[in-house]
Amino acid sequence: MQWFADVIQFMYGLTGSIGLPNYGLAIIIMTIVIKLVLFPLTQKQMKSMRAMQEIQPKIKYIQDKYKDDSQTMQTKVMELYKEHGVNPFGGCLPLLIQMPIFIAFYQSLFNFNFKVAEHASFLWIPNIGSPDPYYILAILAAATTFLQQKVSMVNTKDQTQKTMLYFMPVFMAWIAATMPAGLPLYWVVFNILGIAQQLYVNATGKRVALETGTGVRVETQVESTVIEKEKESKTDLKTKAKTAGREKGGKSSNGSKDTRKKGKKRR
């Protein structure tokens, strides 16, 4: 806790060196630094979570197909994870790392020793060591949490994702309304950076899907059979048309009506 408080004081010193001494600004700078340090982990987390959502239709298909053979089902699911480079536990590590940071932030702000009390105010907030009296940070925490979950969703019809989409913002709004303002300020800034990062992951993910052709569409055996039959019938029709043309005129072009008429005129 003391180490975390010392880091906040160090960031406050940086704001003083640029002529803007303020603890709120120090928390924003500190949040950006934490986000940069965690960037490789959060990048993997976001890619893993999005990939897990994208292959859910395939997992559901495997589960339905091998519901009577659990061992084969698990093997096929693991093969699917390997094929798409998905780690089912990839989203856990960054969350586990962020929890101690969140708790340390909370504890240090409760007993924080501000060197200059006037510099503890930030924008509309009288003191970042106390809850926001106007609940603006609570609204921002809820809105940014909602947006981050919204942009990370792939299947908007999934009931679990829809429940979390509305439950988490309400939960974070309650935390932001009751905790020292510095904590939701950190959360809001972290969410904004996370939204930008998620949009980048979404954009690059779409390009990769278009280039490699590894879409998520799952074709059942019936669908595949129908497609194959349609291809075969089209091929047969083309072959028959070429054969008929050769029988009439030696070549496919010579067997047509227009070609025969031109031949009669020349005679």
PDB file of all heavy atoms in Angstrom, residues 157-186:
ATOM      1  N   LYS A 157     -26.773 -11.794 -29.351  1.00  0.00           N
ATOM      2  CA  LYS A 157     -27.949 -12.559 -28.948  1.00  0.00           C
ATOM      3  C   LYS A 157     -27.667 -13.500 -27.788  1.00  0.00           C
ATOM      4  O   LYS A 157     -28.579 -14.114 -27.246  1.00  0.00           O
ATOM      5  CB  LYS A 157     -28.478 -13.367 -30.145  1.00  0.00           C
ATOM      6  CG  LYS A 157     -29.001 -12.500 -31.274  1.00  0.00           C
ATOM      7  CD  LYS A 157     -29.524 -13.341 -32.421  1.00  0.00           C
ATOM      8  CE  LYS A 157     -30.038 -12.459 -33.563  1.00  0.00           C
ATOM      9  NZ  LYS A 157     -30.536 -13.281 -34.701  1.00  0.00           N
ATOM     10  N   ASP A 158     -26.388 -13.628 -27.413  1.00  0.00           N
ATOM     11  CA  ASP A 158     -26.024 -14.518 -26.316  1.00  0.00           C
ATOM     12  C   ASP A 158     -26.550 -13.938 -24.998  1.00  0.00           C
ATOM     13  O   ASP A 158     -26.239 -12.803 -24.640  1.00  0.00           O
ATOM     14  CB  ASP A 158     -24.504 -14.668 -26.253  1.00  0.00           C
ATOM     15  CG  ASP A 158     -24.080 -15.631 -25.164  1.00  0.00           C
ATOM     16  OD1 ASP A 158     -24.279 -16.844 -25.340  1.00  0.00           O
ATOM     17  OD2 ASP A 158     -23.555 -15.166 -24.135  1.00  0.00           O
ATOM     18  N   GLN A 159     -27.336 -14.739 -24.273  1.00  0.00           N
ATOM     19  CA  GLN A 159     -28.015 -14.257 -23.075  1.00  0.00           C
ATOM     20  C   GLN A 159     -27.039 -13.903 -21.959  1.00  0.00           C
ATOM     21  O   GLN A 159     -27.239 -12.921 -21.233  1.00  0.00           O
ATOM     22  CB  GLN A 159     -29.007 -15.320 -22.579  1.00  0.00           C
ATOM     23  CG  GLN A 159     -29.986 -14.813 -21.530  1.00  0.00           C
ATOM     24  CD  GLN A 159     -30.805 -13.613 -21.988  1.00  0.00           C
ATOM     25  OE1 GLN A 159     -31.308 -13.579 -23.113  1.00  0.00           O
ATOM     26  NE2 GLN A 159     -30.921 -12.621 -21.142  1.00  0.00           N
ATOM     27  N   THR A 160     -25.974 -14.687 -21.802  1.00  0.00           N
ATOM     28  CA  THR A 160     -24.983 -14.415 -20.749  1.00  0.00           C
ATOM     29  C   THR A 160     -24.299 -13.073 -20.980  1.00  0.00           C
ATOM     30  O   THR A 160     -24.143 -12.266 -20.052  1.00  0.00           O
ATOM     31  CB  THR A 160     -23.923 -15.528 -20.707  1.00  0.00           C
ATOM     32  OG1 THR A 160     -24.577 -16.791 -20.525  1.00  0.00           O
ATOM     33  CG2 THR A 160     -22.937 -15.296 -19.574  1.00  0.00           C
ATOM     34  N   GLN A 161     -23.893 -12.826 -22.230  1.00  0.00           N
ATOM     35  CA  GLN A 161     -23.232 -11.567 -22.561  1.00  0.00           C
ATOM     36  C   GLN A 161     -24.186 -10.387 -22.381  1.00  0.00           C
ATOM     37  O   GLN A 161     -23.781  -9.316 -21.921  1.00  0.00           O
ATOM     38  CB  GLN A 161     -22.714 -11.605 -23.999  1.00  0.00           C
ATOM     39  CG  GLN A 161     -21.585 -12.593 -24.211  1.00  0.00           C
ATOM     40  CD  GLN A 161     -21.060 -12.553 -25.628  1.00  0.00           C
ATOM     41  OE1 GLN A 161     -20.731 -11.503 -26.162  1.00  0.00           O
ATOM     42  NE2 GLN A 161     -20.968 -13.714 -26.266  1.00  0.00           N
ATOM     43  N   LYS A 162     -25.447 -10.572 -22.744  1.00  0.00           N
ATOM     44  CA  LYS A 162     -26.433  -9.498 -22.597  1.00  0.00           C
ATOM     45  C   LYS A 162     -26.666  -9.173 -21.124  1.00  0.00           C
ATOM     46  O   LYS A 162     -26.816  -7.998 -20.752  1.00  0.00           O
ATOM     47  CB  LYS A 162     -27.755  -9.913 -23.259  1.00  0.00           C
ATOM     48  CG  LYS A 162     -27.707  -9.872 -24.782  1.00  0.00           C
ATOM     49  CD  LYS A 162     -28.999 -10.358 -25.398  1.00  0.00           C
ATOM     50  CE  LYS A 162     -30.121  -9.381 -25.189  1.00  0.00           C
ATOM     51  NZ  LYS A 162     -31.356  -9.792 -25.909  1.00  0.00           N
ATOM     52  N   THR A 163     -26.672 -10.196 -20.277  1.00  0.00           N
ATOM     53  CA  THR A 163     -26.859  -9.972 -18.836  1.00  0.00           C
ATOM     54  C   THR A 163     -25.692  -9.183 -18.263  1.00  0.00           C
ATOM     55  O   THR A 163     -25.887  -8.209 -17.520  1.00  0.00           O
ATOM     56  CB  THR A 163     -26.982 -11.326 -18.105  1.00  0.00           C
ATOM     57  OG1 THR A 163     -28.086 -12.055 -18.655  1.00  0.00           O
ATOM     58  CG2 THR A 163     -27.212 -11.109 -16.617  1.00  0.00           C
ATOM     59  N   MET A 164     -24.451  -9.593 -18.610  1.00  0.00           N
ATOM     60  CA  MET A 164     -23.260  -8.892 -18.120  1.00  0.00           C
ATOM     61  C   MET A 164     -23.181  -7.478 -18.672  1.00  0.00           C
ATOM     62  O   MET A 164     -22.653  -6.570 -18.016  1.00  0.00           O
ATOM     63  CB  MET A 164     -22.006  -9.671 -18.499  1.00  0.00           C
ATOM     64  CG  MET A 164     -21.878 -11.024 -17.801  1.00  0.00           C
ATOM     65  SD  MET A 164     -21.874 -10.882 -15.999  1.00  0.00           S
ATOM     66  CE  MET A 164     -20.333 -10.020 -15.725  1.00  0.00           C
ATOM     67  N   LEU A 165     -23.693  -7.277 -19.883  1.00  0.00           N
ATOM     68  CA  LEU A 165     -23.659  -5.962 -20.523  1.00  0.00           C
ATOM     69  C   LEU A 165     -24.388  -4.920 -19.676  1.00  0.00           C
ATOM     70  O   LEU A 165     -23.980  -3.753 -19.633  1.00  0.00           O
ATOM     71  CB  LEU A 165     -24.282  -6.051 -21.922  1.00  0.00           C
ATOM     72  CG  LEU A 165     -24.361  -4.754 -22.729  1.00  0.00           C
ATOM     73  CD1 LEU A 165     -22.970  -4.248 -23.071  1.00  0.00           C
ATOM     74  CD2 LEU A 165     -25.164  -4.980 -24.011  1.00  0.00           C
ATOM     75  N   TYR A 166     -25.459  -5.329 -18.994  1.00  0.00           N
ATOM     76  CA  TYR A 166     -26.241  -4.390 -18.185  1.00  0.00           C
ATOM     77  C   TYR A 166     -25.944  -4.494 -16.690  1.00  0.00           C
ATOM     78  O   TYR A 166     -26.121  -3.511 -15.958  1.00  0.00           O
ATOM     79  CB  TYR A 166     -27.738  -4.625 -18.435  1.00  0.00           C
ATOM     80  CG  TYR A 166     -28.139  -4.343 -19.863  1.00  0.00           C
ATOM     81  CD1 TYR A 166     -28.377  -5.373 -20.760  1.00  0.00           C
ATOM     82  CD2 TYR A 166     -28.245  -3.030 -20.327  1.00  0.00           C
ATOM     83  CE1 TYR A 166     -28.723  -5.113 -22.082  1.00  0.00           C
ATOM     84  CE2 TYR A 166     -28.586  -2.760 -21.644  1.00  0.00           C
ATOM     85  CZ  TYR A 166     -28.825  -3.806 -22.515  1.00  0.00           C
ATOM     86  OH  TYR A 166     -29.150  -3.549 -23.820  1.00  0.00           O
ATOM     87  N   PHE A 167     -25.478  -5.672 -16.240  1.00  0.00           N
ATOM     88  CA  PHE A 167     -25.198  -5.839 -14.816  1.00  0.00           C
ATOM     89  C   PHE A 167     -23.917  -5.115 -14.405  1.00  0.00           C
ATOM     90  O   PHE A 167     -23.898  -4.404 -13.381  1.00  0.00           O
ATOM     91  CB  PHE A 167     -25.088  -7.333 -14.479  1.00  0.00           C
ATOM     92  CG  PHE A 167     -24.593  -7.596 -13.087  1.00  0.00           C
ATOM     93  CD1 PHE A 167     -25.435  -7.411 -11.998  1.00  0.00           C
ATOM     94  CD2 PHE A 167     -23.274  -7.994 -12.861  1.00  0.00           C
ATOM     95  CE1 PHE A 167     -24.975  -7.639 -10.697  1.00  0.00           C
ATOM     96  CE2 PHE A 167     -22.813  -8.222 -11.577  1.00  0.00           C
ATOM     97  CZ  PHE A 167     -23.671  -8.045 -10.491  1.00  0.00           C
ATOM     98  N   MET A 168     -22.829  -5.297 -15.175  1.00  0.00           N
ATOM     99  CA  MET A 168     -21.536  -4.719 -14.808  1.00  0.00           C
ATOM    100  C   MET A 168     -21.557  -3.198 -14.727  1.00  0.00           C
ATOM    101  O   MET A 168     -20.991  -2.628 -13.774  1.00  0.00           O
ATOM    102  CB  MET A 168     -20.457  -5.194 -15.784  1.00  0.00           C
ATOM    103  CG  MET A 168     -19.969  -6.606 -15.533  1.00  0.00           C
ATOM    104  SD  MET A 168     -19.307  -6.833 -13.854  1.00  0.00           S
ATOM    105  CE  MET A 168     -17.864  -5.765 -13.910  1.00  0.00           C
ATOM    106  N   PRO A 169     -22.167  -2.465 -15.679  1.00  0.00           N
ATOM    107  CA  PRO A 169     -22.205  -1.004 -15.540  1.00  0.00           C
ATOM    108  C   PRO A 169     -22.914  -0.549 -14.268  1.00  0.00           C
ATOM    109  O   PRO A 169     -22.465   0.412 -13.621  1.00  0.00           O
ATOM    110  CB  PRO A 169     -22.983  -0.562 -16.791  1.00  0.00           C
ATOM    111  CG  PRO A 169     -22.725  -1.635 -17.789  1.00  0.00           C
ATOM    112  CD  PRO A 169     -22.682  -2.889 -17.001  1.00  0.00           C
ATOM    113  N   VAL A 170     -24.002  -1.219 -13.901  1.00  0.00           N
ATOM    114  CA  VAL A 170     -24.719  -0.853 -12.668  1.00  0.00           C
ATOM    115  C   VAL A 170     -23.839  -1.118 -11.447  1.00  0.00           C
ATOM    116  O   VAL A 170     -23.769  -0.295 -10.517  1.00  0.00           O
ATOM    117  CB  VAL A 170     -26.042  -1.647 -12.564  1.00  0.00           C
ATOM    118  CG1 VAL A 170     -26.722  -1.381 -11.220  1.00  0.00           C
ATOM    119  CG2 VAL A 170     -26.983  -1.270 -13.704  1.00  0.00           C
ATOM    120  N   PHE A 171     -23.164  -2.252 -11.462  1.00  0.00           N
ATOM    121  CA  PHE A 171     -22.271  -2.611 -10.349  1.00  0.00           C
ATOM    122  C   PHE A 171     -21.134  -1.604 -10.215  1.00  0.00           C
ATOM    123  O   PHE A 171     -20.809  -1.146  -9.111  1.00  0.00           O
ATOM    124  CB  PHE A 171     -21.714  -4.022 -10.575  1.00  0.00           C
ATOM    125  CG  PHE A 171     -20.754  -4.482  -9.526  1.00  0.00           C
ATOM    126  CD1 PHE A 171     -21.182  -4.701  -8.220  1.00  0.00           C
ATOM    127  CD2 PHE A 171     -19.413  -4.690  -9.837  1.00  0.00           C
ATOM    128  CE1 PHE A 171     -20.288  -5.113  -7.235  1.00  0.00           C
ATOM    129  CE2 PHE A 171     -18.516  -5.115  -8.866  1.00  0.00           C
ATOM    130  CZ  PHE A 171     -18.959  -5.321  -7.562  1.00  0.00           C
ATOM    131  N   MET A 172     -20.514  -1.221 -11.350  1.00  0.00           N
ATOM    132  CA  MET A 172     -19.411  -0.262 -11.319  1.00  0.00           C
ATOM    133  C   MET A 172     -19.891   1.134 -10.926  1.00  0.00           C
ATOM    134  O   MET A 172     -19.158   1.892 -10.287  1.00  0.00           O
ATOM    135  CB  MET A 172     -18.707  -0.223 -12.681  1.00  0.00           C
ATOM    136  CG  MET A 172     -17.938  -1.484 -13.025  1.00  0.00           C
ATOM    137  SD  MET A 172     -16.835  -2.077 -11.714  1.00  0.00           S
ATOM    138  CE  MET A 172     -15.790  -0.653 -11.421  1.00  0.00           C
ATOM    139  N   ALA A 173     -21.126   1.476 -11.287  1.00  0.00           N
ATOM    140  CA  ALA A 173     -21.681   2.774 -10.880  1.00  0.00           C
ATOM    141  C   ALA A 173     -21.836   2.831  -9.364  1.00  0.00           C
ATOM    142  O   ALA A 173     -21.546   3.866  -8.731  1.00  0.00           O
ATOM    143  CB  ALA A 173     -23.025   2.997 -11.560  1.00  0.00           C
ATOM    144  N   TRP A 174     -22.266   1.714  -8.768  1.00  0.00           N
ATOM    145  CA  TRP A 174     -22.414   1.663  -7.306  1.00  0.00           C
ATOM    146  C   TRP A 174     -21.050   1.804  -6.624  1.00  0.00           C
ATOM    147  O   TRP A 174     -20.912   2.550  -5.636  1.00  0.00           O
ATOM    148  CB  TRP A 174     -23.071   0.346  -6.907  1.00  0.00           C
ATOM    149  CG  TRP A 174     -23.144   0.164  -5.427  1.00  0.00           C
ATOM    150  CD1 TRP A 174     -24.027   0.758  -4.552  1.00  0.00           C
ATOM    151  CD2 TRP A 174     -22.264  -0.633  -4.616  1.00  0.00           C
ATOM    152  NE1 TRP A 174     -23.754   0.381  -3.256  1.00  0.00           N
ATOM    153  CE2 TRP A 174     -22.672  -0.487  -3.264  1.00  0.00           C
ATOM    154  CE3 TRP A 174     -21.181  -1.466  -4.902  1.00  0.00           C
ATOM    155  CZ2 TRP A 174     -22.032  -1.136  -2.214  1.00  0.00           C
ATOM    156  CZ3 TRP A 174     -20.542  -2.120  -3.858  1.00  0.00           C
ATOM    157  CH2 TRP A 174     -20.973  -1.952  -2.536  1.00  0.00           C
ATOM    158  N   ILE A 175     -20.035   1.109  -7.153  1.00  0.00           N
ATOM    159  CA  ILE A 175     -18.683   1.215  -6.592  1.00  0.00           C
ATOM    160  C   ILE A 175     -18.168   2.644  -6.712  1.00  0.00           C
ATOM    161  O   ILE A 175     -17.627   3.210  -5.765  1.00  0.00           O
ATOM    162  CB  ILE A 175     -17.727   0.233  -7.297  1.00  0.00           C
ATOM    163  CG1 ILE A 175     -18.063  -1.207  -6.917  1.00  0.00           C
ATOM    164  CG2 ILE A 175     -16.264   0.533  -6.948  1.00  0.00           C
ATOM    165  CD1 ILE A 175     -17.195  -2.252  -7.589  1.00  0.00           C
ATOM    166  N   ALA A 176     -18.351   3.237  -7.892  1.00  0.00           N
ATOM    167  CA  ALA A 176     -17.848   4.599  -8.132  1.00  0.00           C
ATOM    168  C   ALA A 176     -18.539   5.626  -7.244  1.00  0.00           C
ATOM    169  O   ALA A 176     -17.935   6.646  -6.878  1.00  0.00           O
ATOM    170  CB  ALA A 176     -18.045   4.967  -9.603  1.00  0.00           C
ATOM    171  N   ALA A 177     -19.799   5.377  -6.891  1.00  0.00           N
ATOM    172  CA  ALA A 177     -20.548   6.325  -6.060  1.00  0.00           C
ATOM    173  C   ALA A 177     -20.157   6.249  -4.591  1.00  0.00           C
ATOM    174  O   ALA A 177     -20.353   7.215  -3.843  1.00  0.00           O
ATOM    175  CB  ALA A 177     -22.047   6.072  -6.206  1.00  0.00           C
ATOM    176  N   THR A 178     -19.586   5.123  -4.173  1.00  0.00           N
ATOM    177  CA  THR A 178     -19.287   4.922  -2.756  1.00  0.00           C
ATOM    178  C   THR A 178     -17.795   4.979  -2.424  1.00  0.00           C
ATOM    179  O   THR A 178     -17.446   5.107  -1.255  1.00  0.00           O
ATOM    180  CB  THR A 178     -19.844   3.557  -2.287  1.00  0.00           C
ATOM    181  OG1 THR A 178     -19.310   2.515  -3.130  1.00  0.00           O
ATOM    182  CG2 THR A 178     -21.363   3.540  -2.377  1.00  0.00           C
ATOM    183  N   MET A 179     -16.944   4.870  -3.429  1.00  0.00           N
ATOM    184  CA  MET A 179     -15.499   4.849  -3.205  1.00  0.00           C
ATOM    185  C   MET A 179     -14.893   6.245  -3.355  1.00  0.00           C
ATOM    186  O   MET A 179     -15.513   7.143  -3.930  1.00  0.00           O
ATOM    187  CB  MET A 179     -14.824   3.894  -4.204  1.00  0.00           C
ATOM    188  CG  MET A 179     -15.286   2.459  -4.100  1.00  0.00           C
ATOM    189  SD  MET A 179     -14.793   1.742  -2.535  1.00  0.00           S
ATOM    190  CE  MET A 179     -15.507   0.100  -2.676  1.00  0.00           C
ATOM    191  N   PRO A 180     -13.640   6.446  -2.858  1.00  0.00           N
ATOM    192  CA  PRO A 180     -12.944   7.722  -3.094  1.00  0.00           C
ATOM    193  C   PRO A 180     -12.870   8.037  -4.583  1.00  0.00           C
ATOM    194  O   PRO A 180     -12.662   7.140  -5.405  1.00  0.00           O
ATOM    195  CB  PRO A 180     -11.551   7.468  -2.515  1.00  0.00           C
ATOM    196  CG  PRO A 180     -11.752   6.415  -1.491  1.00  0.00           C
ATOM    197  CD  PRO A 180     -12.855   5.541  -2.005  1.00  0.00           C
ATOM    198  N   ALA A 181     -13.058   9.280  -4.956  1.00  0.00           N
ATOM    199  CA  ALA A 181     -13.188   9.684  -6.358  1.00  0.00           C
ATOM    200  C   ALA A 181     -11.979   9.317  -7.210  1.00  0.00           C
ATOM    201  O   ALA A 181     -12.105   9.133  -8.420  1.00  0.00           O
ATOM    202  CB  ALA A 181     -13.443  11.189  -6.440  1.00  0.00           C
ATOM    203  N   GLY A 182     -10.812   9.210  -6.582  1.00  0.00           N
ATOM    204  CA  GLY A 182      -9.619   8.849  -7.344  1.00  0.00           C
ATOM    205  C   GLY A 182      -9.720   7.470  -7.966  1.00  0.00           C
ATOM    206  O   GLY A 182      -9.166   7.225  -9.046  1.00  0.00           O
ATOM    207  N   LEU A 183     -10.450   6.557  -7.327  1.00  0.00           N
ATOM    208  CA  LEU A 183     -10.596   5.194  -7.829  1.00  0.00           C
ATOM    209  C   LEU A 183     -11.462   5.142  -9.093  1.00  0.00           C
ATOM    210  O   LEU A 183     -11.030   4.583 -10.105  1.00  0.00           O
ATOM    211  CB  LEU A 183     -11.164   4.293  -6.746  1.00  0.00           C
ATOM    212  CG  LEU A 183     -11.107   2.790  -7.014  1.00  0.00           C
ATOM    213  CD1 LEU A 183      -9.664   2.316  -7.113  1.00  0.00           C
ATOM    214  CD2 LEU A 183     -11.830   2.027  -5.895  1.00  0.00           C
ATOM    215  N   PRO A 184     -12.683   5.720  -9.093  1.00  0.00           N
ATOM    216  CA  PRO A 184     -13.444   5.741 -10.348  1.00  0.00           C
ATOM    217  C   PRO A 184     -12.796   6.582 -11.439  1.00  0.00           C
ATOM    218  O   PRO A 184     -12.991   6.315 -12.629  1.00  0.00           O
ATOM    219  CB  PRO A 184     -14.810   6.322  -9.949  1.00  0.00           C
ATOM    220  CG  PRO A 184     -14.603   6.971  -8.641  1.00  0.00           C
ATOM    221  CD  PRO A 184     -13.487   6.223  -7.977  1.00  0.00           C
ATOM    222  N   LEU A 185     -12.002   7.595 -11.039  1.00  0.00           N
ATOM    223  CA  LEU A 185     -11.269   8.369 -12.043  1.00  0.00           C
ATOM    224  C   LEU A 185     -10.282   7.465 -12.769  1.00  0.00           C
ATOM    225  O   LEU A 185     -10.177   7.500 -14.002  1.00  0.00           O
ATOM    226  CB  LEU A 185     -10.534   9.529 -11.369  1.00  0.00           C
ATOM    227  CG  LEU A 185      -9.656  10.408 -12.278  1.00  0.00           C
ATOM    228  CD1 LEU A 185     -10.503  11.086 -13.350  1.00  0.00           C
ATOM    229  CD2 LEU A 185      -8.897  11.450 -11.452  1.00  0.00           C
ATOM    230  N   TYR A 186      -9.575   6.644 -12.004  1.00  0.00           N
ATOM    231  CA  TYR A 186      -8.675   5.647 -12.595  1.00  0.00           C
ATOM    232  C   TYR A 186      -9.454   4.701 -13.498  1.00  0.00           C
ATOM    233  O   TYR A 186      -9.030   4.385 -14.613  1.00  0.00           O
ATOM    234  CB  TYR A 186      -7.967   4.884 -11.471  1.00  0.00           C
ATOM    235  CG  TYR A 186      -7.398   3.547 -11.881  1.00  0.00           C
ATOM    236  CD1 TYR A 186      -6.190   3.461 -12.563  1.00  0.00           C
ATOM    237  CD2 TYR A 186      -8.081   2.357 -11.598  1.00  0.00           C
ATOM    238  CE1 TYR A 186      -5.665   2.227 -12.944  1.00  0.00           C
ATOM    239  CE2 TYR A 186      -7.568   1.127 -11.970  1.00  0.00           C
ATOM    240  CZ  TYR A 186      -6.366   1.062 -12.642  1.00  0.00           C
ATOM    241  OH  TYR A 186      -5.870  -0.159 -13.025  1.00  0.00           O
TER     242      TYR A 186
END
